[in-house]
Amino acid sequence: MQQQRRDGEVLRKLNRLAVDCGAHRAGILGDVDTVQLLRQVSIFADLPQDILGDLAKRVWQRQAEAGSVIVSEAEAGDQLFVIVSGKVKVVLYGETGREIILSILRGGDCFGEMSLLDRQPRSANVVAVEDSQLLGLDREAFQTHLQAHPTTAMAILAEMSRRLRHADEVIGNLALLDVYARVARTIRDLAQKQGEPVDGGLLIKERPTQQEIAGLIGTSRETVSRALNDFTRRGLLEMSGKQILVRWGFLRKMEDAA
């Protein structure tokens, strides 16, 4: 009974963290209108209906095939994109061609807002991992909207602050944690954002590939594979295809280490 109460407390903490991270991702379908699509984006989720309606009139649609480059580092940044469906990665490339993944974004996420505000070139590349459907918003249309609806600007600033805090955490992890701890943190974060409560823990239905995890934490795919296999042998994770069952014991260890 005491163990069940502790598991329930871990779940409640994770649910609160998911809300804080803006987990407004579910229910994005191709046959709903643009206002409903925008409502699924964490930045825009709490905006009044009339403001979303004005924004919806200014966006346009774009399709991106898997493997295609949506935006390139250092090019002019004059568009914001909202992901309706699919998956993209935000990446930098080293001189040797090594890929560093800054983040992996899915339906309900957006990117490109920094360049709309500061008029600077893109800070990274964005590449479609899967066939993706996007909504685009040009700078001129965005500025016209902001002049009439400054509430949207506050929502954008709040999201940028959240991302800055996350970037600070990532930098701290790279500096202070060993590779196994970084893999563990990544799995915990995925469980917080995407995990569904099931018997025994939280189920991540579509995990990143081992190469993607490696790019996120600055290590090799082989090291990630060893860490995941070790966690699995210890009964902390259960992997099946693209799914990972993150067991309560794994989450309790992360809570205790925090």
Side-chain angles (χ1 to χ4, degrees):
M1 184 63 71
Q2 184 178 1
Q3 187 67 53
Q4 290 176 341
R5 285 198 300 269
R6 193 175 182 189
D7 289 346
E9 180 60 28
V10 171
L11 178 57
R12 285 191 291 275
K13 288 182 180 179
L14 292 173
N15 285 338
R16 288 196 296 271
L17 283 168
V19 171
D20 291 340
C21 288
H24 302 281
R25 304 169 188 268
I28 297 181
L29 303 174
D31 58 351
V32 298
D33 65 33
T34 306
V35 171
Q36 289 176 286
L37 291 174
L38 292 174
R39 175 97 39 210
Q40 304 303 313
V41 182
S42 59
I43 292 181
F44 306 131
D46 297 325
L47 293 178
Q49 188 76 5
D50 61 322
I51 294 180
L52 278 181
D54 180 80
L55 198 60
K57 292 186 295 186
R58 304 179 189 278
V59 300
W60 42 272
Q61 295 189 26
R62 173 176 172 178
Q63 304 292 325
E65 295 182 355
S68 65
V69 177
I70 301 170
V71 301
S72 296
E73 182 182 4
E75 74 177 11
D78 55 4
Q79 296 163 343
L80 175 150
F81 291 98
V82 171
I83 305 171
V84 176
S85 62
K87 181 170 75 171
V88 309
K89 58 183 178 181
V90 183
V91 298
L92 295 173
Y93 297 107
E95 293 182 0
T96 62
R98 179 188 175 192
E99 181 181 88
I100 301 171
I101 301 177
L102 302 180
S103 59
I104 296 175
L105 307 176
R106 302 173 184 272
D109 288 323
C110 70
F111 59 91
E113 72 284 351
M114 286 175 56
S115 294
L116 284 189
L117 294 172
D118 64 13
R119 293 182 174 271
Q120 296 299 307
R122 301 290 189 189
S123 58
N125 308 280
V126 181
V127 180
V129 178
E130 304 171 351
D131 290 346
S132 301
Q133 180 183 356
L134 310 170
L135 296 177
L137 180 65
D138 295 322
R139 174 185 284 129
E140 185 176 346
F142 181 64
Q143 291 180 337
T144 301
H145 171 81
L146 289 185
Q147 289 171 1
H149 304 286
T151 302
T152 304
M154 297 303 296
I156 294 284
L157 290 172
E159 175 67 10
M160 292 179 67
S161 295
R162 184 189 70 79
R163 293 188 183 185
L164 181 59
R165 290 177 186 274
H166 176 69
D168 288 344
E169 181 181 357
V170 170
I171 293 169
N173 289 345
L174 289 173
L176 301 174
L177 299 179
D178 63 26
V179 173
Y180 272 41
R182 298 204 297 270
V183 173
R185 287 274 183 102
T186 300
I187 298 301
R188 182 203 64 181
D189 291 347
L190 285 170
Q192 290 172 358
K193 296 175 183 177
Q194 301 176 26
E196 297 182 7
V198 296
D199 231 8
L202 294 178
L203 180 65
I204 302 169
K205 289 190 174 181
E206 191 173 345
R207 65 172 172 83
T209 65
Q210 292 180 1
Q211 186 61 56
E212 288 170 342
I213 295 174
L216 283 168
I217 64 173
T219 189
S220 67
R221 186 198 64 78
E222 292 77 14
T223 301
V224 171
S225 178
R226 286 196 296 270
L228 292 176
N229 288 336
D230 183 52
F231 294 147
T232 300
R233 284 195 301 270
R234 292 159 58 188
L236 300 173
L237 301 177
E238 183 177 320
M239 295 191 291
S240 176
K242 291 186 175 182
Q243 295 187 347
I244 297 182
L245 175 60
V246 183
R247 296 198 174 277
W248 294 123
F250 180 94
L251 299 170
R252 285 195 299 272
K253 285 179 180 295
M254 295 301 297
E255 286 289 320
D256 293 341

